[in-house]
Every structure is written in C-alpha cells, then in structure tokens.
Amino acid sequence: MEAKYAWIIGICLIIAGCTIGGGLSDSGDDGSPKGIEISNETPIDVQLGSTDVKLLDEDSARSYLGIDDEEMKRLKKLGNLPSITIKDFVYYPREGLDKWVEENTGKTF
C-alpha cells in the first residue's frame, strides 16, 4: 500500500512542477518576470466601484471628488453640497455632485 501512495505523491509533484514551469515560460529572456510598464506620461484609469451606484456615502463621495477629510468637512460646513439624509445617514447623489462641481468650478472655498 505504501508504494501506491508514493506513486500518487510522485505524480502530484510532476504536475506541480509542470504547472510552475509553465508559469516561468512567461518570463523575460533573462529569466526575470515580465511586468507591466507604467509611465507618468499616460494616466491610469481606475474604477473604484460600480458606476451604477447613485448615492455615495461620505467616504465614497470624498474619493469621488478627490478631496481629503479636511476639505470635506469645510464643504459640509458651508452646507452647499447636494446630499440626502436617510435615517441619520448622509448620502451624496453622484449626479448632484457632478452638477455641483460644474457650477462651482473656479470658486474658492
């Protein structure tokens, strides 16, 4: 019975070796893995979430607007950000934020 298990282990090791070896075939000529080249010249489009979401919580709204905590506090204090309160939770409509940004471009807060 022990020889039977040795064969199974041997076959598993061969399969694992072939799998790992196949992964290394994607490496460069010098053996180093190929990577993605990133330059500062072209922007990277990153989708943080689904664009189907219509209401954003405060963290998502901050991220969507590209501002930090202090800037968000300042805008909330002014009270002119479009928002909806549902059971003590404040949400920011994505379309309302877009419109607000367009209407307030060039202003200083």
Side-chain angles (χ1 to χ4, degrees):
M1 283 296 209
E2 291 179 21
K4 179 180 175 182
Y5 294 116
W7 278 99
I8 293 172
I9 292 171
I11 291 172
C12 290
L13 289 173
I14 291 170
I15 292 171
C18 290
T19 303
I20 293 170
L24 292 178
S25 66
D26 291 336
S27 64
D29 293 337
D30 60 352
S32 63
K34 291 181 183 176
I36 299 172
E37 293 184 25
I38 299 176
S39 71
N40 291 335
E41 296 173 9
T42 56
I44 298 174
D45 184 25
V46 177
Q47 295 292 329
L48 297 177
S50 171
T51 56
D52 294 339
V53 176
K54 294 188 183 284
L55 295 176
L56 305 171
D57 62 7
E58 185 172 324
D59 290 339
S60 299
R62 256 193 0 257
S63 176
Y64 184 70
L65 293 171
I67 60 177
D68 63 19
D69 287 334
E70 290 299 317
E71 292 168 330
M72 186 68 166
K73 286 178 188 175
R74 187 176 312 121
L75 293 176
K76 283 173 50 178
K77 190 174 183 179
L78 291 172
N80 63 352
L81 273 180
S83 64
I84 297 171
T85 303
I86 304 171
K87 292 186 180 180
D88 297 328
F89 292 100
V90 179
Y91 298 97
Y92 301 89
R94 183 185 299 269
E95 289 181 15
L97 291 175
D98 290 338
K99 185 177 177 182
W100 180 86
V101 168
E102 287 178 25
E103 292 173 353
N104 291 286
T105 298
K107 293 182 181 177
T108 302
F109 294 98

